[in-house]
């Protein structure tokens, strides 16, 4: 089986748990996910199977959309509700102040990743150091927030904002927990993430996502192919070209290719190009090198 399943990750599972369970359900060892979700977060988790695992890196590059609930006045060591409370502060922020904070953190900014994350420092995961009571300096990483829109507010009796539901569209590598932390610091009261739903990852949307139990049922009813998006469909945005018969072995070997080796060189040559053999089988995804004027192999899909 080769392709991608749009999995709905349920609360309590790590992304690695989802992969492990799918290996059992599908009886397939070659499986990889396309972007970690925290255990308590839910939502879209595209999972690549078989040859499609070579697309994991491409899918990781895609922007993602979330719905997050920010709790104001509480800061924790994990930056969400699973951690130890570090501080509790009074909140004076009103709706206008929250909207200013959201605007402040829209666009490109340097985000310091959380200690409770899988990033490595000197060969050790940050969360391993955090569990040992250690905190190390983390360098800010550039992320981009394309949209940061407050969509719902809950208020305290004094009229200050207690919770905010935000719709966030962002680049890869963004920690939503840390974004809400930074907004809370900007508001002067601290904040943490109360809940998180990933509603979209690239082309994959929440309404089409399926749970592990639904996948298991589809397997038992011989309907698995209904849930698997083929590799070629994922690559359909790239132009296609066919190799000329006399150069087919160069393609199979993953060699650099000259434009004249193709039956017809695509107009969008500055992009990636899907390359097919003379039997119409997808062999690889190539990228055109504008300096050398040659095609370089990017992803190969040979057996």
């Amino acid at each position: 089986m080769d392709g991608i399943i749009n999995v709905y990750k349920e609360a309590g599972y790590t992304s690695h748990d989802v992969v492990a369970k799918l290996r059992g359900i599908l009886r397939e060892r070659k499986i990889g996910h396309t972007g970690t979700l925290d255990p308590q977060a839910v939502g879209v988790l595209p999972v690549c199977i078989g040859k499609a695992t070579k697309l994991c890196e491409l899918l990781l590059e895609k922007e993602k959309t979330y719905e997050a609930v920010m709790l104001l006045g509480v800061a924790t060591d994990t930056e969400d509700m699973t951690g130890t409370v570090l501080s509790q502060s009074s909140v004076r922020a009103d709706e206008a102040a929250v909207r200013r904070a959201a605007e402040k953190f829209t666009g490109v900014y340097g985000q310091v990743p959380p200690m409770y994350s899988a990033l490595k420092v000197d060969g050790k995961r940050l969360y391993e150091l955090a569990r040992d009571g250690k905190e190390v300096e983390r360098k800010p990483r550039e992320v981009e927030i394309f949209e940061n829109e407050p969509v719902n507010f809950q208020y305290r009796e004094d009229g200050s904002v207690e919770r905010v539901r935000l719709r966030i569209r962002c680049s890869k590598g963004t920690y939503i927990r840390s974004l809400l932390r930074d907004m809370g610091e900007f508001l002067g009261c601290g904040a943490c993430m109360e809940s998180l739903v990933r509603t979209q990852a690239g082309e994959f949307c929440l309404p089409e996502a399926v749970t592990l139990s639904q996948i298991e049922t589809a397997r038992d009813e011989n309907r698995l192919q209904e849930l698997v998006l083929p590799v070629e469909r994922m690559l359909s945005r790239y132009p296609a070209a066919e190799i000329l018969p006399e150069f087919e072995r160069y393609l199979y070997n993953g060699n650099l290719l000259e434009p004249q080796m193709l039956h017809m060189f695509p107009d969008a040559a500055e992009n990636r190009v899907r390359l097919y053999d003379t039997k119409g089988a997808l062999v690889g995804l190539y990228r055109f090198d504008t300096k050398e004027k040659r095609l370089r192999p990017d992803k190969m899909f040979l057996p």
Side-chain angles (χ1 to χ4, degrees), residues 48-102:
C48 298
I49 306 158
K51 292 180 184 178
T53 53
K54 296 178 181 180
L55 297 178
C56 285
E57 186 180 340
L58 290 178
L59 295 178
L60 281 168
E61 296 174 359
K62 300 296 181 182
E63 65 182 46
K64 299 173 177 66
T65 305
Y66 299 88
E67 282 195 3
V69 174
M70 175 173 64
L71 177 63
L72 296 178
V74 178
T76 72
D77 58 354
T78 59
E79 302 175 3
D80 62 16
M81 296 299 290
T82 67
T84 301
V85 174
L86 299 177
S87 65
Q88 290 184 281
S89 307
S90 59
V91 180
R92 296 182 177 85
D94 58 11
E95 184 175 321
V98 172
R99 292 191 182 279
R100 285 195 296 271

Side-chain angles (χ1 to χ4, degrees), residues 25-43:
I25 293 170
L26 303 178
R27 300 179 180 88
E28 168 69 55
R29 299 305 303 169
K30 206 170 183 181
I31 297 180
H33 66 77
T34 60
T36 302
L37 268 176
D38 292 337
Q40 296 310 310
V42 301

Side-chain angles (χ1 to χ4, degrees), residues 154-171:
Q154 290 183 15
Y155 302 90
R156 293 179 169 85
E157 290 183 1
D158 63 4
S160 64
V161 176
E162 184 173 23
R163 289 179 179 83
V164 186
R165 183 177 297 275
L166 298 136
R167 181 171 56 247
I168 300 162
R169 187 166 55 87
C170 58
S171 66

Side-chain angles (χ1 to χ4, degrees), residues 121-136:
V121 173
D122 296 329
K124 290 207 73 174
R125 302 280 186 188
L126 284 176
Y127 67 78
E128 294 174 341
L129 296 170
R131 287 170 182 168
D132 291 337
K134 300 174 183 176
E135 183 166 355
V136 297

Side-chain angles (χ1 to χ4, degrees), residues 7-25 33 35-45 47 80 82 131 193 196 198 210-216:
V7 177
Y8 177 85
K9 192 196 84 64
E10 298 166 271
Y13 291 109
T14 67
S15 300
H16 290 295
D17 290 339
V18 171
V19 169
K21 288 183 177 294
L22 274 179
R23 284 178 178 146
I25 293 170
H33 66 77
T36 302
L37 268 176
D38 292 337
Q40 296 310 310
V42 301
V44 172
L45 182 69
V47 175
D80 62 16
T82 67
R131 287 170 182 168
M193 187 177 74
L196 182 68
R198 184 191 282 164
V210 290
T211 64
L212 291 171
S213 61
Q214 288 174 315
I215 297 169
E216 195 165 12

